[in-house]
């Protein structure tokens, strides 16, 4: 171990020099600055679109643990010394959070004026008000739903995590103070109880009310409280130095493994948030005893700690920059996908450095640091400005005069209400429905015509309307569920809801032969193919006639927005440059698979596309798709007409 330390010294890895002990706590720990870098970089990379960083969002959970530790440590010191002041506590929070947040909001307003469509500007106005009032998490939770639209249309979506923290710090200082006065001891027992309750709600909610579990403070509180437990010495730390080294390094491995192994399809946060948060807690806990571990010294390297210092501004600025680049090409209009991702990361870091140096730092330290009374006045004025601008954007209907009439027509489809067409909550089961059986009306059979049963996810649900209208000589039934692929062997990370929906369906189909034909489709990927093959084998074994529909063209941005951008740039085929051409290879593989299994196959890509050019408008120049991949009712009918001769 000494040899390794010597080698690190030779490489320039220094221990956390400059830290001072105060009442048993480190005033400043460079390893925690490094841990902040470990938290923020995966978030930025994940949002920029780095494919192999599948779980970069867990960095937010690491931030929660760090915040819970640092603030709980400070609160306990002040309470123990009899110097706790709620006014000073919130003054520190304002200095830390508010200046950079206000600057980010104002900068986002400026970008949005030139780029955002009217409906997006309205949403930005509303979300900016929510951000200033620290209720972003509630705002985005209330908006959440299957047809809510892409996260890439919400440049302030990331402020939900700030709102969670601020809501937590409304009740936590007072609860801590009250517990300390009543028990005259560290409130470890109370913290454990609240943490466990929060974790139980989070674990249950990850499967049964995913949106609420993700956004609400009650299901996230345990992550901040885990940091508090470290501050209270409630997390055991090995006594021997070799075990501490292994303990700390294991914590880092837990975070890194989470970044690469967790993905957005898994039930999160819940139990899956334990590895990254526990990893962060282990690193912090060991650092309290010995900041000179190998892990601590690696995290204390100057380039890493510098990223940690700018991590808050980096977190704030990277997401609006990502949104405006990926939607509108704000930084690079052309070039390779790799260069666009690099541009997002580099510009985000530059913006963060400027924000940290000229906005964060002056408000927190130095001769120009405003006094508390001046700080309160400045915060009030800045908040009022943002609230007024946000309200004006909202009430002015997103200022549509910025665009042509044709662009406004295209943009209006971003607000398309698809629920009735999908027969949402009846024949299309979303997570919020809370059941796994469709209404009986969805599977009513006819005696005078063939009965075709459509099964799958939203890509199947969108076809019922068009098929029923284009082929009145057939009776189309529907059993569809949001985010659920219709395969006999579900994915390992498939939700309990999806498993129940299709396990019941496939069991009933072996007994009930009312369906003349089964139409199967979904949002297929390469990983879907084994399940598709198994499903076709099952159907053949049970003498069930199947028509398999292949993948549809999926755009990297909502089609209406791409059409507007094409208008502005006078590029008629702009949208054709922005759909996932890799789906052509998947389509060919699925066609071959269906041929091998003796199953009828319909290539949806060949149906609507020729080369890289796909049908995007109907004969009245209305978009056929209202988001990245779902048809309008008219689009469903156009597709069904083309399918008619094949079914």
């Amino acid at each position: 171990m000494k040899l390794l330390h010597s080698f690190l010294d030779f490489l320039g890895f220094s221990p956390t020099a400059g830290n001072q002990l105060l009442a048993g706590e480190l005033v400043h720990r460079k390893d925690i600055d490094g841990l902040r870098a470990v938290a923020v970089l995966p978030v930025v990379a994940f949002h920029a679109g780095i494919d192999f960083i599948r779980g970069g969002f867990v960095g937010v959970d690491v931030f929660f643990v760090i915040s819970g530790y640092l603030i709980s440590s400070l609160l306990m010191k002040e309470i123990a010394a009899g110097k706790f002041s709620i006014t000073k506590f919130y003054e520190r929070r304002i200095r830390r959070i508010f200046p950079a947040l206000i600057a980010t909001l104002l900068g986002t307003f400026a970008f949005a004026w030139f780029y955002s469509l009217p409906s997006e500007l309205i949403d930005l106005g509303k979300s900016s008000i929510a951000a200033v009032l620290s209720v972003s998490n509630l705002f985005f939770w209330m908006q959440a739903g299957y047809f809510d639209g892409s996260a890439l249309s919400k440049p302030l979506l990331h402020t939900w995590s700030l709102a969670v923290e601020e809501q937590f710090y409304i009740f936590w200082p007072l609860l801590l103070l009250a517990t300390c006065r009543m028990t005259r001891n560290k409130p470890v027992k109370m913290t454990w109880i609240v943490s466990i309750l929060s974790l139980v709600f989070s674990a249950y909610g990850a499967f049964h009310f995913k949106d609420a579990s993700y956004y609400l403070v009650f299901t996230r509180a345990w992550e901040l409280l885990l940091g508090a437990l470290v501050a209270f010495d409630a997390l055991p730390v090995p006594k021997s130095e070799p075990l501490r080294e292994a303990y700390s390094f294991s914590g880092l491995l837990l975070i890194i493994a989470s970044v690469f192994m967790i993905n957005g399809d898994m039930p999160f946060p819940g139990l899956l948030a334990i590895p990254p948060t526990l990893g962060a807690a282990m690193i912090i806990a060991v650092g309290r005893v010995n900041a000179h571990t190998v892990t601590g010294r690696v995290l204390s390297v100057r380039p890493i700690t510098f990223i940690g210092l700018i991590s808050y501004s980096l977190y704030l600025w990277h997401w609006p920059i990502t949104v405006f680049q990926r939607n509108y090409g704000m930084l690079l209009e052309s070039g390779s996908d790799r260069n666009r991702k690099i541009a997002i990361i580099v510009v985000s870091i530059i913006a963060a450095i400027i924000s940290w140096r000229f906005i964060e730092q002056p408000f927190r330290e130095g001769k120009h640091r405003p006094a508390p009374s001046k700080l309160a006045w400045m915060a009030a004025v800045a908040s009022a400005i943002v609230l007024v601008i946000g309200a004006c954007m909202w009430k002015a209907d997103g200022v549509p005069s910025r665009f042509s009439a044709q662009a406004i027509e295209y943009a209006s489809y971003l607000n398309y209400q698809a629920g009735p067409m999908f027969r949402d909550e009846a024949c299309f089961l979303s997570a919020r429905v809370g059941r796994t059986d469709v209404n009986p009306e969805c599977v009513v059979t006819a005696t005078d015509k063939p009965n075709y049963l459509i099964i799958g996810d939203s890509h199947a649900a969108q076809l019922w309307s068009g098929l029923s209208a284009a082929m009145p000589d057939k009776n189309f039934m529907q059993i569809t569920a949001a985010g659920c692929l219709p395969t006999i062997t579900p994915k390992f990370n498939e939700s309990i809801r999806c498993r129940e929906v299709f396990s019941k369906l496939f069991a009933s189909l072996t007994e009930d032969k009312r369906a003349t034909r089964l139409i199967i489709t979904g949002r297929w990927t390469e990983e879907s193919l084994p399940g598709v093959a198994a499903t076709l084998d099952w159907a053949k074994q049970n003498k069930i006639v199947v028509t398999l529909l292949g993948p549809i063209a999926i755009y990297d941005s909502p089609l209406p927005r791409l059409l507007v951008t094409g208008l502005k740039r006078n590029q008629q085929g702009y949208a054709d440059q922005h759909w996932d051409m890799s789906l052509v290879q998947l389509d060919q593989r699925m066609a071959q698979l269906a041929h091998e299994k003796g199953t009828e196959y319909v290539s949806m890509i060949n149906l609507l596309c020729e080369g890289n050019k796909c049908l995007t408008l109907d004969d009245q120049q209305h978009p056929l798709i209202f988001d990245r991949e779902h048809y309008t009712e008219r689009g469903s009918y156009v597709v069904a007409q083309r399918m008619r001769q094949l079914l």
Side-chain angles (χ1 to χ4, degrees), residues 269-401:
L271 298 178
L272 281 176
I274 291 178
T277 53
L278 181 60
M282 292 165 68
I283 293 171
I284 297 170
V286 170
R288 281 167 56 86
V289 180
N290 180 11
H292 296 250
T293 61
V294 173
T295 302
R297 297 172 79 180
V298 169
L299 292 175
S300 300
V301 175
R302 185 169 296 177
I304 298 178
T305 59
F306 181 72
I307 294 295
L309 290 174
I310 66 169
S311 60
Y312 175 57
S313 282
L314 181 55
Y315 180 76
L316 284 177
W317 281 102
H318 89 280
W319 182 242
I321 289 171
T322 299
V323 167
F324 289 111
Q325 168 57 35
R326 292 181 65 177
N327 280 338
Y328 308 107
M330 181 183 73
L331 306 175
L332 288 177
E333 291 187 3
S334 60
S336 68
D337 185 52
R338 181 176 70 93
N339 288 343
R340 289 195 290 267
K341 293 173 182 178
I342 291 173
I344 289 172
I345 295 171
V346 171
V347 173
S348 296
I349 291 174
I350 292 172
I353 292 171
I354 295 171
S355 174
W356 171 75
R357 176 63 182 85
F358 296 105
I359 299 173
E360 281 193 68
Q361 290 294 92
F363 276 88
R364 296 172 63 187
E365 56 188 38
K367 61 180 181 181
H368 298 298
R369 178 177 183 267
S373 57
K374 185 178 181 181
L375 178 70
W377 176 82
M378 294 172 73
V381 171
S383 298
I385 291 172
V386 171
L387 292 172
V388 168
I389 295 175
C392 288
M393 289 179 170
W394 179 3
K395 296 304 178 182
D397 293 325
V399 197
S401 58

Side-chain angles (χ1 to χ4, degrees), residues 434-466:
R435 67 173 191 274
T436 56
D437 293 301
V438 299
N439 286 353
E441 66 186 39
C442 305
V443 289
V444 173
T445 57
T447 57
D448 57 344
K449 48 186 165 182
N451 294 293
Y452 287 8
L453 176 60
I454 305 169
I455 68 169
D457 56 15
S458 60
H459 285 205
Q462 66 183 341
L463 295 174
W464 178 86
S465 171

Side-chain angles (χ1 to χ4, degrees), residues 39 52 81 145 158 176 217 236 367 369 409 454 462 606 623 633 637:
F52 58 88
H158 64 321
L176 199 57
V217 66
K367 61 180 181 181
R369 178 177 183 267
E409 169 68 17
I454 305 169
Q462 66 183 341
N606 290 343
E633 189 163 8
Y637 181 71

Side-chain angles (χ1 to χ4, degrees), residues 100-112:
L101 174 62
I102 293 295
T104 303
L105 295 178
L106 295 175
T108 303
F109 287 153
F111 295 146

Side-chain angles (χ1 to χ4, degrees), residues 97-153:
I97 300 297
F98 224 61
L101 174 62
I102 293 295
T104 303
L105 295 178
L106 295 175
T108 303
F109 287 153
F111 295 146
W113 179 263
F114 292 102
Y115 292 105
S116 294
L117 300 174
S119 61
E120 295 168 340
L121 202 62
I122 292 171
D123 284 341
L124 176 62
K126 294 177 181 179
S127 60
S128 64
I129 293 171
V132 168
L133 299 178
S134 295
V135 292
S136 290
N137 60 329
L138 302 178
F139 174 76
F140 291 116
W141 167 56
M142 292 172 66
Q143 275 198 336
Y146 194 80
F147 301 106
D148 178 43
S150 170
L152 281 173
S153 67

Side-chain angles (χ1 to χ4, degrees), residues 49-314:
I50 307 299
D51 295 332
F52 58 88
I53 308 292
R54 300 188 301 169
F57 52 85
V58 304
V60 174
D61 305 86
V62 174
F63 273 127
F64 283 155
V65 177
I66 295 171
S67 179
Y69 166 74
L70 292 174
I71 291 182
S72 297
S73 297
L74 185 59
L75 287 172
M76 282 302 296
K77 288 184 200 175
E78 292 182 342
I79 291 171
K83 296 180 179 180
F84 173 74
S85 167
I86 195 69
T87 303
K88 290 184 178 179
F89 174 79
Y90 286 117
E91 177 201 335
R92 289 193 298 266
R93 294 299 297 168
I94 290 172
R95 288 188 191 279
R96 169 65 175 158
I97 300 297
F98 224 61
L101 174 62
I102 293 295
T104 303
L105 295 178
L106 295 175
T108 303
F109 287 153
F111 295 146
W113 179 263
F114 292 102
Y115 292 105
S116 294
L117 300 174
S119 61
E120 295 168 340
L121 202 62
I122 292 171
D123 284 341
L124 176 62
K126 294 177 181 179
S127 60
S128 64
I129 293 171
V132 168
L133 299 178
S134 295
V135 292
S136 290
N137 60 329
L138 302 178
F139 174 76
F140 291 116
W141 167 56
M142 292 172 66
Q143 275 198 336
Y146 194 80
F147 301 106
D148 178 43
S150 170
L152 281 173
S153 67
K154 308 174 190 300
L156 298 181
L157 179 62
H158 64 321
T159 61
W160 72 267
S161 63
L162 305 183
V164 167
E165 280 203 31
E166 295 316 302
Q167 290 162 23
F168 177 80
Y169 291 125
I170 288 174
F171 72 83
W172 178 238
L174 300 178
L175 181 60
L176 199 57
L177 178 64
T179 305
C180 287
R181 287 182 174 176
M182 287 188 294
T183 63
R184 296 183 181 181
N185 290 308
K186 290 183 179 180
V188 175
K189 185 179 294 186
M190 176 274 294
T191 307
W192 272 117
I193 292 172
V194 177
S195 299
I196 292 170
L197 289 174
S198 174
L199 177 58
V200 169
F201 284 129
S202 181
Y204 180 82
F207 288 95
H208 297 280
F209 43 90
K210 187 173 182 178
D211 292 330
S213 183
Y214 193 88
Y215 284 115
L216 299 187
V217 66
F218 308 107
T219 50
R220 291 286 189 168
W222 69 271
E223 300 179 34
L224 292 129
L225 292 172
L226 181 57
L229 288 168
V230 176
F232 302 158
D233 289 323
L235 196 69
V237 176
K239 293 183 178 180
S240 73
E241 193 60 33
L243 286 178
R244 286 175 186 165
E245 291 281 0
Y247 194 75
S248 183
F249 183 65
S250 297
L252 185 60
L253 286 182
L254 283 174
I255 298 173
I256 294 172
S258 299
V259 167
F260 290 104
M261 297 179 68
I262 294 174
N263 64 66
D265 293 329
M266 297 178 179
F268 194 87
L271 298 178
L272 281 176
I274 291 178
T277 53
L278 181 60
M282 292 165 68
I283 293 171
I284 297 170
V286 170
R288 281 167 56 86
V289 180
N290 180 11
H292 296 250
T293 61
V294 173
T295 302
R297 297 172 79 180
V298 169
L299 292 175
S300 300
V301 175
R302 185 169 296 177
I304 298 178
T305 59
F306 181 72
I307 294 295
L309 290 174
I310 66 169
S311 60
Y312 175 57
S313 282
L314 181 55

Side-chain angles (χ1 to χ4, degrees), residues 520-555:
I520 301 177
T521 191
R523 197 182 197 277
W524 305 121
T525 63
E526 288 287 339
E527 291 75 20
S528 311
L529 295 183
V532 172
T535 304
L536 297 183
D537 287 336
W538 165 86
K540 189 173 184 178
Q541 180 182 353
N542 288 278
K543 297 181 172 56
I544 297 173
V545 179
V546 170
T547 295
L548 177 65
L549 308 186
I552 66 171
I554 298 176
Y555 294 86

